[in-house]
C-alpha cells in the first residue's frame, strides 16, 4: 500500500517540541547565569581537547534534544571562557543581558532577512528609529539623525564600520571614481600609533594599502598629537599624495586614551578629510552627560561608531555606525541588480540598509537593542555605567596607594592600566598566576614598551565585591610570587 505523504516523518521539531525544549534552554541559560561564578573564568582546556571529545562523523539519524543540551554541559562548557562572569576583567567587556538575549531570540524566531525595506519594513524602520534615539541618548550631533542629512545603521562590528567609513572617504576623495577605476596608490589615511588594528585591516581591504596608513605619534597620555597629524598631512600633500581620512579614537583599546577631537576635527575640516570617530567601548559612557566632555569636538565627525555589544548590555554582535552624509555612504556601497528592484526602492521613500554596509543580508539586530533600551531605560543604563566607572576609579586609587604598583596611564573611565614596579617578568608572572587561579581573568598590553596589566570593569553583573576581590587576589598573588 502506498504511504500517505502526510504521514511521512517530517524530521522537523514540532511547535510543541519547540516550546518544551525552548523552556529547557531558557532554564539552562538562567541556571548558567546563576552559577557562572563557580567556573574558572579562563577556560583550562588544551588545544584540540574539545574536538577530541566530539564524534568524528555527524549522526546519520537525529538525536533527542536532551542529549544535545547534555553535551553542551559536559563537552562544551569546559571549553568556554566565561565572558559573562562578573570576574571577567580582560580585554574589554562583551556584556549581555536578559532583555538582549530575549530580543536576539525573537530575531531568530522571526527569521527575518532585512536586506531591503520591502523584505521586512519593521526591520528597517525599528533600526532607524532606535539609531535616532541613540543620537540623543549619547549627545551626538543632530546631523547623524535620519531626519537630517545623515543616519545610523547597525553593523556587525566596529571593524566593519571602520571599513565602510574608509571606503566612503576614499570614494568622496576621488569624486566617486575609485570604485570603478581602483586606487592609484596616492590616497593617504591617518590614525595614531594606538588606534585599533581594525584600521590597518580596513586600509588593506579598501585598497589604500598599509604603507599609506600613517600612524601618528601620541603624547604622554597616549592621545594623538594633532600638530604631528598636521605636519604629516602637509608633508604628504607636498609629496603629491591625497590625504583623505583620519580615524580618531574615544577610548583606545590599549589604555583608553582620548584623542582630541576638536583639534583633529579642525585639521580635517581645513584639508577636507573625512573624520571617523571610533568609540567602540567608551561610546557607551556618553549615555551619562558628565562623561561627554570626553567627546568634545564630535560635531566635526563625518562618521562615528560604538559597540553596544561591548559595554551596553546588548549581546554580541551589535555595532552602531552613523554618518553625517548618508548620500556619500550609499553612493559608495550601492549596487542594484535587477532581482532586487522593487517599487518601494524606486520610490526613494525608504531606506534599504543593504546599501549601508558590506554584506547584502542582515539580521533583525535592532530588536535586542530596542529591548535593552526599553528594559533598562536611560536611567538604568546610566546607573550601571556610573557604577562601573566608580569601581574602576576606586581600583585605581588602591593601585596609587600601593608602593609596589603604579598606574601606567590616566583612568578616564572604566579601564585601569597598572603595573608592578619590579618590571616585565614580574607583571607577566602576576598575570599568569591570577589567570591560572580561575578566580578572575585580566589581560595585558605594552605601554612605552613595558608590560602593563589592564583591568576593565564592564561586565553586566560586576559589583564592588568582585573588584575588591580582584585587588585582594592581585595582592595575594604578588606576595606569592615573592614580589610584595
Ligand atoms: C577602540 C576599538 N576599536 C575597534 C575595536 C574592534 O571591535 P570589533 O570587534 O567590534 O570589530 C575594538 C575592540 O577590540 C576597540 O577597542
Amino acid at each position: 500500500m502506498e504511504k500517505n505523504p502526510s504521514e511521512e516523518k517530517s524530521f522537523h521539531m514540532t511547535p510543541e517540541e519547540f516550546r518544551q525544549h525552548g523552556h529547557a534552554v531558557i532554564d539552562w541559560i538562567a541556571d548558567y547565569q546563576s552559577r557562572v561564578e563557580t567556573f574558572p573564568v579562563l577556560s583550562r582546556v588544551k588545544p584540540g581537547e574539545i574536538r577530541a571529545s566530539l564524534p568524528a562523523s555527524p549522526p546519520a539519524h537525529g538525536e533527542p534534544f536532551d542529549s544535545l543540551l547534555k553535551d553542551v554541559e559536559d563537552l562544551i562548557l569546559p571549553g568556554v571562557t566565561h565572558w559573562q562572569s562578573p570576574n571577567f576583567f580582560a580585554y574589554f567587556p562583551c556584556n549581555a543581558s536578559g532583555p538582549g538575549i530575549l530580543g536576539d531570540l525573537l530575531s531568530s524566531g522571526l527569521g527575518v532577512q532585512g536586506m531591503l525595506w520591502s523584505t521586512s519594513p519593521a526591520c528597517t524602520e525599528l533600526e532607524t528609529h532606535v539609531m535616532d534615539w541613540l543620537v540623543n541618548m549619547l549627545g551626538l550631533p543632530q546631523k547623524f539623525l535620519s531626519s537630517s542629512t545623515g543616519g545610523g545603521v547597525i553593523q556587525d562590528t566596529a571593524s566593519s564600520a571602520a571599513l565602510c567609513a574608509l571606503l566612503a572617504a576614499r570614494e568622496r576623495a576621488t569624486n566617486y571614481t575609485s570604485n570603478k577605476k581602483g586606487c592609484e596608490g596616492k590616497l593617504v589615511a591617518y590614525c595614531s600609533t594606538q588606534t585599533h588594528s581594525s584600521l590597518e585591516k580596513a586600509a588593506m581591504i579598501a585598497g589604500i594599502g598599509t604603507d599609506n596608513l600613517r600612524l601618528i605619534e601620541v603624547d604622554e597620555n597616549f592621545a594623538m598629537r594633532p600638530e604631528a597629524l598636521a605636519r604629516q598631512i602637509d608633508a604628504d600633500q607636498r609629496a603629491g599624495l591625497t590625504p583623505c581620512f583620519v580615524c580618531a579614537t574615544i577610548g583606545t583599546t590599549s589604555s583608553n586614551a582620548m584623542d582630541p577631537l576638536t583639534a583633529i576635527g579642525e585639521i580635517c575640516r581645513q584639508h577636507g578629510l573625512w573624520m571617523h570617530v571610533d568609540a567602540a567601548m567608551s561610546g557607551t559612557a556618553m549615555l551619562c552627560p558628565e562623561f561627554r566632555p570626553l567627546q568634545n569636538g564630535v560635531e566635526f565627525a563625518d562618521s562615528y561608531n560604538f559597540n553596544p555589544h561591548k559595554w551596553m548590555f546588548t549581546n554580541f554582535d551589535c555595532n552602531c555606525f552613523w554618518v553625517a552624509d548618508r548620500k556619500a555612504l550609499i553612493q559608495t556601497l550601492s549596487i542594484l541588480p535587477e532581482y532586487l528592484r522593487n517599487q518601494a526602492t524606486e520610490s526613494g521613500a525608504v531606506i534599504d540598509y543593504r546599501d549601508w554596509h558590506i554584506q547584502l543580508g542582515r539580521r533583525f539586530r535592532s530588536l535586542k537593542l530596542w529591548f535593552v533600551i526599553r528594559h533598562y531605560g536611560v536611567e538604568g543604563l546610566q546607573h550601571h555605567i556610573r557604577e562601573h566607572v566608580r569601581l574602576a576609579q576606586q581600583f585605581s586609587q588602591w593601585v596609587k596607594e600601593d608602593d609596589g604598583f603604579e598606574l601606567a596611564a590616566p583612568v578616564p573611565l572604566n579601564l585601569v592600566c597598572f603595573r608592578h614596579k619590579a618590571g616585565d617578568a614580574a607583571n607577566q608572572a602576576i598575570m599568569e598566576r591570577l589567570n591560572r587561579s580561575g578566580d578572575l581573568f585580566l589581560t595585558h598590553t605594552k605601554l612605552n614598551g613595558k608590560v602593563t596589566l589592564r583591568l576593565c570593569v564592564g561586565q553586566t553583573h560586576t559589583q564592588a565585591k568582585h573588584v575588591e576581590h580582584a585587588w585582594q587576589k592581585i595582592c595575594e598573588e604578588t606576595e606569592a610570587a615573592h614580589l610584595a
Side-chain angles (χ1 to χ4, degrees):
M1 208 172 77
E2 245 181 53
K3 233 181 174 180
N4 177 350
S6 66
E7 286 170 14
E8 271 179 18
K9 183 173 176 185
S10 88
F11 298 97
H12 290 307
M13 193 179 269
T14 66
E16 262 325 302
E17 286 167 339
F18 179 77
R19 188 188 311 281
Q20 183 197 339
H21 302 321
H23 286 165
V25 170
I26 295 287
D27 281 346
W28 191 92
I29 298 172
D31 289 343
Y32 173 69
Q33 289 173 346
S34 321
R35 63 192 169 122
V36 67
E37 280 188 65
T38 64
F39 302 109
V41 185
L42 178 64
S43 168
R44 289 176 169 161
V45 297
K46 303 214 164 43
E49 207 173 313
I50 298 295
R51 285 202 69 184
S53 72
L54 300 171
S57 30
H61 305 292
E63 301 179 56
F65 193 82
D66 293 349
S67 65
L68 272 61
L69 213 46
K70 184 171 180 322
D71 283 353
V72 169
E73 180 75 35
D74 298 344
L75 308 181
I76 301 299
L77 214 42
V80 169
T81 287
H82 298 282
W83 284 74
Q84 302 313 317
S85 165
N87 297 311
F88 185 100
F89 300 105
Y91 309 109
F92 37 77
C94 187
N95 63 19
S97 66
I101 295 166
L102 294 176
D104 214 14
L105 181 60
L106 271 176
S107 165
S108 297
L110 289 170
V112 154
Q113 204 277 57
M115 59 187 172
L116 302 169
W117 176 88
S118 62
T119 61
S120 216
C123 180
T124 295
E125 294 196 14
L126 182 65
E127 184 161 328
T128 307
H129 203 70
V130 170
M131 292 297 286
D132 278 355
W133 273 3
L134 278 163
V135 167
N136 293 322
M137 286 167 68
L138 300 172
L140 294 173
Q142 299 292 295
K143 64 185 177 181
F144 288 153
L145 288 172
S146 65
S147 52
S148 176
T149 51
V153 57
I154 300 180
Q155 304 263 347
D156 52 5
T157 59
S159 304
S160 297
L163 175 58
C164 290
L166 183 54
L167 289 170
R170 185 195 76 186
E171 283 302 293
R172 194 177 76 175
T174 57
N175 214 7
Y176 300 91
T177 60
S178 53
N179 263 345
K180 201 168 158 115
K181 300 198 164 145
C183 287
E184 292 170 336
K186 293 206 157 176
L187 295 175
V188 189
Y190 305 80
C191 61
S192 88
T193 56
Q194 300 294 306
T195 304
H196 189 263
S197 57
S198 51
L199 265 294
E200 193 177 334
K201 205 181 251 188
M204 285 157 58
I205 302 170
I208 301 291
T210 50
D211 280 357
N212 296 322
L213 178 67
R214 307 278 187 253
L215 308 186
I216 304 299
E217 68 188 79
V218 294
D219 64 17
E220 65 285 1
N221 293 330
F222 307 102
M224 188 191 288
R225 287 188 185 279
E227 66 285 2
L229 172 68
R231 261 201 313 275
Q232 185 63 52
I233 292 172
D234 277 351
D236 287 331
Q237 281 175 331
R238 271 187 271 112
L241 300 172
T242 310
C244 70
F245 173 92
V246 178
C247 176
T249 307
I250 295 298
T252 58
T253 313
S254 243
S255 72
N256 218 5
M258 305 286 163
D259 288 339
L261 298 190
T262 305
I264 294 171
E266 278 164 357
I267 294 166
C268 288
R269 186 159 290 180
Q270 187 191 343
H271 295 277
L273 309 193
W274 183 292
M275 173 156 132
H276 176 61
V277 175
D278 179 9
M281 176 178 72
S282 300
T284 294
M286 306 309 151
L287 289 165
C288 307
E290 67 271 30
F291 301 132
R292 287 188 199 152
L294 293 171
Q295 66 174 8
N296 277 351
V298 70
E299 62 277 9
F300 286 100
D302 292 287
S303 54
Y304 178 98
N305 85 111
F306 89 111
N307 281 340
H309 70 222
K310 279 193 162 65
W311 195 12
M312 212 181 92
F313 314 107
T314 310
N315 37 305
F316 196 88
D317 51 4
C318 186
N319 167 272
C320 293
F321 174 59
W322 287 271
V323 285
D325 174 13
R326 61 179 171 270
K327 282 205 199 109
L329 183 67
I330 294 170
Q331 202 170 335
T332 299
L333 296 176
S334 179
I335 307 177
L336 185 57
E338 187 53 37
Y339 46 81
L340 293 180
R341 285 189 184 277
N342 66 87
Q343 262 186 359
T345 298
E346 311 279 317
S347 77
V350 300
I351 288 177
D352 288 325
Y353 275 128
R354 71 186 186 98
D355 295 333
W356 293 54
H357 50 46
I358 308 297
Q359 81 278 15
L360 172 63
R362 61 199 327 273
R363 304 179 61 226
F364 201 163
R365 287 198 188 90
S366 57
L367 269 177
K368 61 185 171 190
L369 197 50
W370 191 45
F371 273 31
V372 166
I373 295 170
R374 291 186 63 187
H375 170 86
Y376 286 94
V378 173
E379 174 197 44
L381 295 171
Q382 288 174 336
H383 167 84
H384 287 291
I385 298 311
R386 286 183 178 129
E387 184 60 6
H388 289 161
V389 173
R390 188 186 73 77
L391 295 175
Q393 299 297 325
Q394 175 142 71
F395 182 91
S396 75
Q397 199 54 39
W398 296 329
V399 171
K400 266 196 240 164
E401 287 164 8
D402 188 292
D403 287 343
F405 284 93
E406 64 188 2
L407 286 179
V411 186
L413 293 167
N414 60 330
L415 173 68
V416 186
C417 290
F418 66 107
R419 58 181 160 239
H420 196 278
K421 292 175 186 165
D424 285 2
N427 284 291
Q428 201 73 43
I430 294 169
M431 182 173 72
E432 279 160 22
R433 294 183 74 94
L434 287 167
N435 293 343
R436 234 186 354 251
S437 79
D439 279 14
L440 72 155
F441 179 29
L442 50 75
T443 48
H444 79 287
T445 186
K446 271 195 175 173
L447 293 175
N448 293 327
K450 293 186 192 163
V451 172
T452 301
L453 305 178
R454 297 167 72 266
L455 182 123
C456 194
V457 183
Q459 236 319 305
T460 308
H461 297 292
T462 299
Q463 297 168 18
K465 63 178 179 185
H466 301 106
V467 180
E468 281 160 20
H469 177 68
W471 176 241
Q472 190 191 335
K473 193 76 194 163
I474 289 165
C475 295
E476 276 170 29
E477 293 298 348
T478 303
E479 205 172 317
H482 308 296
L483 293 165

